[in-house]
């Protein structure tokens, strides 16, 4: 987002072409600061994050950074988008389910990135920006297709739970049989001394007679 914002600003594109990115940058930076605050319980880390990120962003949008570096940063978004989306696609394929993904968010990302292709063609005409949104739309379309395809799928979670429950049942049966055997042995051991004492008492009576 920072690279897209700085590249579009330095290229002089209309605000409608990159305005939403500026709001996303603000929202994401606030969320990152809150994560640092509540994870480590310190107010110094969020403050230092805002100062550091502000310095980096100022360096990017000012004349201190050449436009070639900004173009390279914008082009680096393409493989980052592909890798991040394909990880999610592969996870969905392996689980045979989309898990906790929100259908509203997935389809909004797809339609939003698709609309940005046409707005980028009309307002900017920049090839790297158009390629970025095209790649994002294709990857989002794959995830949206998986959302529809695995809509009623329960995934592998239920299969694993059934296996684990069946294994648990198999383990309980031997323990009950062992318990019954041990109880039977104890009863036999307890009955033997009683019989022996009975035989001894009868022998003593016969001697007295």
């Amino acid at each position: 987002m920072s690279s897209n914002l700085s590249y579009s600003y330095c290229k002089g594109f209309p605000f409608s072409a990159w305005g939403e990115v500026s709001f996303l940058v603000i929202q994401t930076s606030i969320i990152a600061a809150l994560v640092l605050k509540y994870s480590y319980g310190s107010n110094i880390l969020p403050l230092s994050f805002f100062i550091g990120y502000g310095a980096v962003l100022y360096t990017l949008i000012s004349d201190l950074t050449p436009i070639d570096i900004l173009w390279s940063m914008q082009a680096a978004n393409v493989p980052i988008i592909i890798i991040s989306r394909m990880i999610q696609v592969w996870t969905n394929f392996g689980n045979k389910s989309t898990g906790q993904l929100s259908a509203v968010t997935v389809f909004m990302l797809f339609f939003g990135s698709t609309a940005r292709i046409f707005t980028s063609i009309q307002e900017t005409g920049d090839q790297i920006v158009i390629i970025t949104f095209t790649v994002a739309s294709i990857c989002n379309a794959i995830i949206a297709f998986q959302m529809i395809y695995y809509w009623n799928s329960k995934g592998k979670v239920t299969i694993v739970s059934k296996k684990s429950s069946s294994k648990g049942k198999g383990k309980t049966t031997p323990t009950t049989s062992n318990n019954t055997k041990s109880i039977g042995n104890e009863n036999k051991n307890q009955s033997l001394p009683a019989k022996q004492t009975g035989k001894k008492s009868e022998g003593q009576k016969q001697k007295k007679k």
Side-chain angles (χ1 to χ4, degrees), residues 131-186:
I131 292 172
T132 301
F133 287 112
T134 303
V135 171
S137 299
I138 294 172
C139 295
N140 291 328
I142 297 174
I143 298 176
F145 173 76
Q146 287 183 329
M147 181 68 68
I148 298 173
Y149 186 76
Y150 297 124
W151 187 264
N152 294 322
S153 177
K154 296 181 180 179
K156 290 186 177 181
V157 179
T158 55
I159 297 174
V160 174
S161 63
K162 289 181 181 178
K163 288 183 179 179
S164 61
S165 61
S166 62
K167 289 181 180 178
K169 292 180 181 177
K171 290 180 180 179
T172 54
T173 51
T175 56
T176 55
S177 61
N178 291 329
N179 290 328
T180 54
K181 289 181 180 179
S182 62
I183 294 169
N185 293 327
E186 289 178 357

Side-chain angles (χ1 to χ4, degrees), residues 201-209:
S201 62
E202 289 177 358
Q204 291 175 358
K205 289 181 180 179
Q206 289 177 0
K207 288 180 180 180
K208 288 180 180 180
K209 291 179 179 179

